[in-house]
Amino acid sequence: MSDKPRILIQLDTDAHPSVFDRVVAVDAGVEQLFSYGGVKPEHVQGLIHGAMFTRGPKDLHRTAVFVGGSDVSAGELVLAEVRKTLLPKWGLQVSVMLDSNGCNTTAAAAVRAASRHLNLQGVAALVLGGTGPVGQRVARLLALEGGDVRVGSRQAARSEAACETIRRRVPNALVSGVATGSGEELATALDGRSLVIAAGAAGAVLLPKQARSAAITVAIDLNAVPPLGIEGIEMGDKGKERDGTIGYGALGVGDAKMKIHKAAIAQLFARNDQVFDAEEIYEFAKSVS
Ligand SMILES: NC(=O)c1ccc[n+]([C@@H]2O[C@H](COP(=O)([O-])OP(=O)(O)OC[C@H]3O[C@@H](n4cnc5c(N)ncnc54)[C@H](OP(=O)(O)O)[C@@H]3O)[C@@H](O)[C@H]2O)c1
């Protein structure tokens, strides 16, 4: 076994590499953390050459890459460039994980929470704030599980665009875009939905109490900044039943998110050929949460 220190190379698309991601890396057992901010696709080749031409193939599982930052689209471009630069044919590759804005680990934790109470195959779900980085991942994972997923947005065109992106990743996805901007639109979007996951912006109420439909069995809110996203679900709720609905708040999901994030980072060092994006992190989450 190699005893080289575990090095994590953090490629962050924001000017300042995320402190949150850095703390989690240290807590996950990373021994050396090289953090780069303001990373754009054109910077990637040089950075990855430094990672893969220094240690031989037998030690490259002790080097890994984490792509983060607040902009998931920018992170996706950086991830694509990392993959393009690696040379698997010669064993010159390192494992890489994308979790811009915590999108993949948070979505995995939320969908795992839902799966504890509902059979996700065919589940009638509504993702509020479904156009954001976290909401898109939540909708994608629910679609992957065979759910019938409505993707909510204040603007119908944005929700349709989000569905199109999901269909490209999950070919048979049963997803449809719905407008949720007005009370009437929200009521239509909620009709018959047994699962609601709110992934709206911090501090925005997406589901007021009076708009709740009786069909909702499980409601999960990911917003941790008051006012909360689903009125009547408390931040710390974790599978708590209130008025006939099982609820999770952001902190209730956050425990599992942290567990998945840390375990995924540790897992990066098991091999040098892994790519962790939404589906892989979700699959992995099944063994740890
Ligand atoms: N619990 C955890 O561990 C954890 C980890 C990471 C993130 N989070 C939380 O997860 C949530 C989603 O994160 P994100 O980065 O995907 O969020 P985001 O991009 O800031 O917002 C998601 C969506 O919310 C909608 N929105 C924005 N402002 C709104 C307003 N004033 N009223 C209603 N809707 C509004 C927008 O959709 P439209 O414009 O299309 O309507 C936007 O695409 C956030 O609350 C974040 O703090 C939690």
Side-chain angles (χ1 to χ4, degrees):
M1 274 309 273
S2 171
D3 58 358
K4 292 237 193 296
R6 283 182 295 272
I7 299 173
L8 187 68
I9 298 166
Q10 179 188 18
L11 305 183
D12 199 304
T13 55
D14 290 349
H16 300 288
S18 157
V19 171
F20 182 100
D21 291 338
R22 299 191 68 189
V23 173
V24 178
V26 170
D27 286 352
V30 166
E31 291 157 289
Q32 294 283 338
L33 180 60
F34 302 170
S35 297
Y36 299 87
V39 176
K40 295 188 164 54
E42 59 266 33
H43 305 139
V44 166
Q45 195 183 70
L47 292 165
I48 295 302
H49 281 173
M52 72 186 190
F53 290 137
T54 36
R55 293 171 158 182
K58 80 172 183 8
D59 288 321
L60 277 179
H61 67 286
R62 304 289 281 186
T63 304
V65 171
F66 179 91
V67 180
S70 58
D71 182 344
V72 70
S73 305
E76 283 170 339
L77 293 176
V78 167
L79 173 65
E81 201 58 37
V82 170
R83 298 189 72 176
K84 219 164 89 187
T85 307
L86 297 172
L87 298 168
K89 199 171 153 195
W90 290 281
L92 295 173
Q93 60 184 339
V94 293
S95 289
V96 54
M97 167 171 169
L98 171 76
D99 199 27
S100 299
N101 229 16
C103 62
N104 287 329
T105 48
T106 307
V111 174
R112 286 294 295 153
S115 75
R116 266 178 230 118
H117 309 281
L118 292 164
N119 178 0
L120 298 181
Q121 172 74 43
V123 73
L126 170 64
V127 183
L128 293 167
T131 56
V134 176
Q136 277 210 41
R137 261 31 188 203
V138 167
R140 181 162 138 190
L141 295 179
L142 289 172
L144 191 73
E145 288 286 19
D148 164 7
V149 189
R150 289 182 186 156
V151 179
S153 164
R154 290 168 298 175
Q155 296 169 52
R158 274 171 59 74
S159 59
E160 230 354 280
C163 290
E164 228 5 85
T165 306
I166 294 168
R167 285 185 199 108
R168 279 198 293 274
R169 304 297 294 240
V170 184
N172 298 319
L174 202 54
V175 286
S176 53
V178 286
T180 54
S182 70
E184 211 171 297
E185 287 170 339
L186 183 58
T188 307
L190 281 166
D191 188 38
R193 300 289 101 176
S194 52
L195 170 65
V196 175
I197 301 184
V205 180
L206 275 79
L207 182 51
K209 200 150 190 186
Q210 80 275 7
R212 282 258 203 114
S213 112
I216 303 173
T217 313
V218 177
I220 299 175
D221 182 20
L222 299 174
N223 166 22
V225 179
L228 301 179
I230 301 181
E231 263 179 11
I233 303 286
E234 297 297 323
M235 213 187 290
D237 285 358
K238 192 174 179 179
K240 186 165 178 66
E241 190 172 333
R242 294 179 190 271
D243 306 326
T245 301
I246 296 167
Y248 285 79
L251 296 183
V253 174
D255 275 359
K257 179 252 174 326
M258 293 303 294
K259 211 162 145 189
I260 295 164
H261 190 156
K262 270 187 252 177
I265 297 279
Q267 182 65 23
L268 283 173
F269 298 97
R271 299 205 320 254
N272 71 332
D273 61 351
Q274 307 168 101
V275 179
F276 289 174
D277 198 343
E279 290 75 11
E280 296 81 10
I281 290 173
Y282 177 60
E283 204 44 48
F284 178 66
K286 292 180 181 172
S287 62
V288 296
S289 69

